Structures are given as C-alpha cells and as structure tokens.
Amino acid sequence: MKLTAKEIRHIDEVLIERGLDYIDLKYEILDHMANGIEALMVNEDLSFEEAFSKELKNWKHEFKPYSHFLFGYTEVGPRIVIKRCVNLIKQMYLKSIIGGLLIAFCLLCFFKLIPTGLYIDGVSFIAGFVYTISTLVALYFLYIAAKFQIKSTYQYFLKVNGRAHWIALFLFNPFWEWSIKFDVVNSNFLDLFWPSAIIIMNFFMIKTFFDHRKTANYQITLK
C-alpha cells in the first residue's frame, strides 16, 4: 500500500515541527518512516493515523533534545541531527590526524634521503602554497555555507565547526611573516604535523561544502 501525497506531506510537516528541517536527514527519515507506516498498514491492518502514531513512537528517542561536547554543549537539537554532525567531526579529526602524520613523516624522510639543499625551496614553496590556497578556499566556503537558505546537516556542521576552524588556523598558522613559504627542512615533526593536519582539514571542509550543495537536488517523490 502506497501512501498518498497528502500523507507524505503530513509526515514532512511533523518532522519539521520536531526540528528535522535539515533536508538530507529529513528525507532519509521520511523514507524510512513511510516504509514503516506502509508495512504496518498492510501487516496489522491499521489506518494511516494509527500506523503513523505507532511509527512515530519508534523514532521518539532520536527526536529528543541532545548535545555533545565535540559539537559544543550550546548546540542543542534532535539527537539524530547532533549525532550526524558529531560523526562528521570524528571523520574530520581522524582523517586530519592520519593525513597530518603521513605528510609530516614523508617530508622528514624526504629531506633525510636527498642531499642537503636539493629541492628545498621548491618543496617549501609547494607546501606553503597548498596550505595557503586550501585555507583561503575553505574559509570562503565556510562563509558561503553559513548564508545558504537550504539547511542540511553538512551546512550545520560547517556553520558550527567553522568557528573552531578559524581558531585552529590562527593558532597554528605558519605564515606570520606573510610568506607562502615555510621552512620544512629545519622544522621538527610537530611543526610539520599541525599545518599538514590543517591542510587535510581544509580539504574535508571543502568536500563537505560540495556534499551540502548536492542536497539542493533532494526532493520528495509524491505519487
């Protein structure tokens, strides 16, 4: 039994009332709920109202107000929304740490294996250039994402986590002398790790921005 367009719109309205106005997650939940309601109507011979009420109880826990220290205790929203954003943060930190460690290790090994002075300026320039460009692009996308009318969990993540990203860029900026070149040869492992991790973080932010852009094509299929 397929739900009508009116019934699907009703589910959509209820989800928005419960704070699920993030388009990617809302449509995902709507699809699951619609399938669950259809199954209840067929298997238990329930009306739409009865099936919807029963299905809504199954999601009650996910709609409760929730916060998490990784996302900031001041950010309170439906549990399922905050958990999705926290998962994005965990992915970003994990990839940034692993990527930062690998890049820093490769740079140190590179300069241990080649003759002193060979390729130093070129590698230093490339590292600084990638850091600078990725940072500028990421900051621009963070600014643009905050102004989007269409809300998604990706946009929410960028909006909130962008504040922490600005602080990280300020604390670990290797270019205080206004140069797009930093001394990768005479730097220790930690000096190389922090900028490298931020480069990976910048690319994660950029990817998340484009993930948000894709949500603009999401639609409810009404039959």
Side-chain angles (χ1 to χ4, degrees):
M1 179 181 293
K2 291 292 184 181
L3 300 183
T4 65
K6 182 179 179 180
E7 290 168 341
I8 292 177
R9 280 196 295 269
H10 178 65
I11 300 172
D12 183 63
E13 291 168 359
V14 172
L15 290 178
I16 292 175
E17 289 175 0
R18 282 162 171 71
L20 268 297
D21 54 348
Y22 301 92
I23 191 169
D24 57 323
L25 190 57
K26 181 182 68 173
Y27 288 170
E28 181 182 323
I29 294 172
L30 191 152
D31 184 59
H32 283 293
M33 291 188 72
N35 290 333
I37 292 169
E38 289 171 355
L40 288 170
M41 292 172 69
V42 172
N43 298 332
E44 300 185 21
D45 195 26
L46 301 177
S47 66
F48 168 76
E49 291 75 15
E50 293 171 329
F52 178 51
S53 177
K54 190 170 184 178
E55 181 68 17
L56 200 58
K57 289 179 181 178
N58 295 333
W59 289 87
K60 184 179 179 181
H61 179 66
E62 298 294 344
F63 296 156
K64 287 184 177 180
Y66 181 79
S67 64
H68 194 283
F69 76 95
L70 282 177
F71 201 56
Y73 285 119
T74 58
E75 297 297 328
V76 180
R79 185 177 187 274
I80 194 169
V81 173
I82 302 300
K83 293 288 284 185
R84 176 70 64 89
C85 292
V86 169
N87 185 50
L88 286 172
I89 290 177
K90 289 178 179 178
Q91 289 181 46
M92 181 184 68
Y93 286 156
L94 179 62
K95 292 179 180 179
S96 298
I97 291 173
I98 294 175
L101 290 172
L102 289 174
I103 293 173
F105 178 76
C106 289
L107 286 173
L108 286 177
C109 290
F110 180 78
F111 288 107
K112 291 290 185 181
L113 296 175
I114 66 172
T116 303
L118 187 61
Y119 304 128
I120 288 177
D121 288 340
V123 174
S124 296
F125 176 84
I126 291 173
F129 182 79
V130 171
Y131 181 97
T132 302
I133 296 301
S134 66
T135 296
L136 292 175
V137 173
L139 292 179
Y140 174 73
F141 283 166
L142 286 172
Y143 173 77
I144 295 298
K147 296 183 175 295
F148 272 124
Q149 296 299 316
I150 298 176
K151 295 171 65 177
S152 73
T153 53
Y154 301 113
Q155 187 254 5
Y156 188 29
F157 162 79
L158 291 171
K159 183 179 178 180
V160 174
N161 201 64
R163 305 164 194 165
H165 197 57
W166 278 93
I167 295 173
L169 292 172
F170 177 80
L171 292 177
F172 304 112
N173 187 357
F175 306 119
W176 290 113
E177 297 181 359
W178 294 95
S179 170
I180 61 170
K181 192 172 99 171
F182 61 96
D183 189 358
V184 295
V185 179
N186 298 316
S187 298
N188 60 39
F189 187 81
L190 281 179
D191 291 335
L192 294 174
F193 167 74
W194 292 117
S196 300
I198 289 177
I199 287 175
I200 303 299
M201 197 176 295
N202 286 336
F203 281 107
F204 187 90
M205 294 282 192
I206 294 169
K207 177 186 178 299
T208 304
F209 173 85
F210 285 104
D211 287 338
H212 168 70
R213 288 287 298 271
K214 293 177 184 177
T215 62
N217 298 321
Y218 284 12
Q219 294 182 355
I220 301 178
T221 300
L222 300 180
K223 297 182 180 180

